[in-house]
Amino acid sequence: MDLLGLLGILLGILTIILFIIKKFNIIIAAPIATIVVLLFNGVPILETVFGKENSYMTALAGFVASNFAIFLLGSLLAKYMDKSGATVSIANKVLSVVGTKNPYNALVALFIISAILTYGGINVFVIIFALIPMAKPIFRQLNISWKLVTIPVFGGTSTFTMTMLPGAPSLHNIVPSTALGTTLTAAPLIGILTSIAAIVFLLVFMKFSLSKSLRKNETFNADEKVESSDEIIKRELPSFIISLLPILVLLGIILLFSSVSNIISVALIVAILLSAILFRKQIAQQKEILNQGATESLSSTITTGSTIAFGSIATSVPAFKGVFQLIQSIPGPPILSLMIGTGLIGGITASAVGAIGISVANFAPIYLEMGLDPETVHRAVAIGSGALSIVPYSGFLIIFNNLTGLTMKDTFKNGFISISVTHWIAMTVIVMMALLGLA
């Protein structure tokens, strides 16, 4: 086992975390951390960082090429919804239904909306681009801590609807299905029981966190970088139906034409054009909206791509084979080491989908030879991928912070508990089922 190389991987992860804590941009931190990994693994640095094949730059470029359209269009739609006052109009309607006396109801409503959209197959980045502007005025009017928004959004988008519920159309469910020849409803009993455990935990954690925040007299306190809500409210707000129409059209197109290539981009373009028409009275200078959205989307795309590129290189160095050996030596039921191994890869790559891809290619054949059922392997790999997917250099977390105006200190703890700890609970359920002969 190449201990020096393994040390390099660990130091690379610590480097990227340290740089983020010191508030360096991930675009700077990721390549430096990548070089640290390479120095300890005896890999050609210039070729691996700048080369035209299998390099840091090609991994970054690949991500940008595949995802920039969604980031750009999602950012533009979010700007239209925010600047027009549509989000305030939607928030007012939500508050008129759930009331203002019990803030917990508003958190649960946001949690349910996030979960429904994710289970409906909506891209998670599209969801946060749409929901964050809508959630902000709700929290503002209820005067509850804006930091709490992490729990319902992360819990609704990135836990049971992402990896556990049978039939979920997420990549986390599709990738193992394709690789193992299973269906999207693989291991339904495991999926249902882990989903129930996850939902109960998230609702309890949400209630506990809200109560603790209220006891500390925490109130809404967000970084208002732009026009205040009071200035928006003074203008004539679009009606609730008009405000909601772009989102409904977006979701409707994606769901009705899900088999069409690039349908998410098409749906976003239609929603943006509709917003430009419907909100023309509220937004006099649409050029500013387009410019702001474009500028912010570029940073978001490169930021997320940088974390993916780092993970790609860290898992490609020769010493990474030692990680596989360590994982297989974990004591306990085989399914436990499979989930822990997939989770560790998720932590290194900061990508649950990336972890699943690596796991089904390298771990799954070994565990299938041990006699594990393909459906059980499918569900275990999917759930294990979320165990450490929230780390300080997670692209999803960084983009979320950019959208909300919150800091890593504000969101990491709640985000980690909402996603990672929830998946640990699900993993515990699977291990118990395995010991009882149910998995």
Side-chain angles (χ1 to χ4, degrees), residues 158 162-163 171-173 175-176 308 342-343 345-359 381-390 394 419 423:
S158 304
M162 182 177 79
T163 61
L171 285 174
H172 309 75
N173 203 25
V175 172
I308 298 297
T342 306
I345 297 172
I348 294 172
T349 62
S351 169
V353 175
I356 292 172
I358 293 172
S359 184
V381 166
I383 292 174
S385 71
L388 287 174
S389 60
I390 286 296
S394 297
I419 296 180
H423 278 91

Side-chain angles (χ1 to χ4, degrees), residues 125-368:
F125 288 106
V126 174
I127 293 173
I128 62 173
F129 277 126
L131 283 187
I132 295 306
M134 184 192 80
K136 201 166 194 177
I138 295 176
F139 278 69
R140 183 187 292 114
Q141 292 185 49
L142 291 173
N143 199 28
I144 57 177
S145 174
W146 181 227
K147 293 184 290 186
L148 294 173
V149 72
T150 309
I151 302 171
V153 173
F154 279 39
T157 62
S158 304
T159 56
F160 65 101
T161 56
M162 182 177 79
T163 61
M164 303 174 203
L165 269 181
S170 66
L171 285 174
H172 309 75
N173 203 25
I174 293 172
V175 172
S177 174
T178 302
L180 300 170
T182 51
T183 66
L184 295 183
T185 57
L189 182 60
I190 293 176
I192 292 170
L193 291 180
T194 53
S195 295
I196 292 172
I199 293 170
V200 170
F201 170 75
L202 286 165
L203 291 176
V204 170
F205 176 56
M206 203 182 303
K207 181 70 173 179
F208 170 80
S209 299
L210 175 62
S211 299
K212 181 180 178 181
S213 176
L214 293 175
R215 285 196 303 270
K216 294 170 66 176
N217 295 317
E218 293 179 342
T219 57
F220 180 84
N221 183 22
D223 180 16
E224 302 289 359
K225 299 178 181 178
V226 290
E227 181 178 32
S228 72
S229 67
D230 291 337
E231 292 174 320
I232 293 176
I233 293 171
K234 287 177 183 178
R235 299 200 308 256
E236 180 183 354
L237 294 176
S239 68
F240 170 69
I241 297 299
I242 295 297
S243 299
L244 196 60
L245 194 56
I247 301 299
L248 292 177
V249 169
L250 169 71
L251 302 180
I253 292 175
I254 292 175
L255 294 176
L256 290 174
F257 303 98
S258 59
S259 61
V260 177
S261 178
N262 297 313
I263 192 59
I264 294 178
S265 297
V266 173
L268 283 166
I269 290 172
V270 173
I272 290 168
L273 293 174
L274 187 60
S275 297
I277 296 170
L278 295 177
F279 305 143
R280 63 189 184 280
K281 292 183 180 179
Q282 285 76 25
I283 303 175
Q285 298 292 328
Q286 295 199 19
K287 180 174 68 175
E288 295 181 8
I289 300 295
L290 297 173
N291 288 340
Q292 289 177 12
T295 301
E296 293 177 11
S297 69
L298 183 60
S299 174
S300 298
T301 310
I302 301 297
T303 293
T304 308
S306 297
T307 66
I308 298 297
F310 166 76
S312 174
I313 299 302
T315 55
S316 69
V317 296
F320 193 71
K321 294 179 181 178
V323 176
F324 292 141
Q325 296 174 8
L326 289 173
I327 288 168
Q328 292 172 37
S329 66
I330 295 174
I335 200 169
L336 174 61
S337 61
L338 174 61
M339 291 188 293
I340 291 176
T342 306
L344 287 174
I345 297 172
I348 294 172
T349 62
S351 169
V353 175
I356 292 172
I358 293 172
S359 184
V360 294
N362 295 278
F363 294 163
I366 297 172
Y367 287 89
L368 290 173

Side-chain angles (χ1 to χ4, degrees), residues 74-89:
S75 179
L76 292 177
L77 179 59
K79 283 295 179 184
Y80 268 106
M81 295 295 293
D82 185 24
K83 299 298 186 180
S84 65
T87 55
V88 176
S89 181

Side-chain angles (χ1 to χ4, degrees), residues 7-25:
L7 177 62
I9 295 174
L10 178 60
L11 289 177
I13 294 172
L14 293 176
T15 297
I16 200 170
I17 292 175
L18 178 62
F19 270 68
I20 290 172
I21 291 175
K22 295 297 184 180
K23 298 185 178 180
F24 280 86
N25 193 300

Side-chain angles (χ1 to χ4, degrees), residues 5-6 8 14 22 27 32 37 43 78 95 106 113 120 209 230 270 300 310 331 340 377 382 396 431:
L6 289 175
L14 293 176
K22 295 297 184 180
I27 298 173
I32 292 176
V37 173
V43 178
L95 289 174
I113 293 171
S209 299
D230 291 337
V270 173
S300 298
F310 166 76
I340 291 176
V377 172
F396 179 67
V431 170

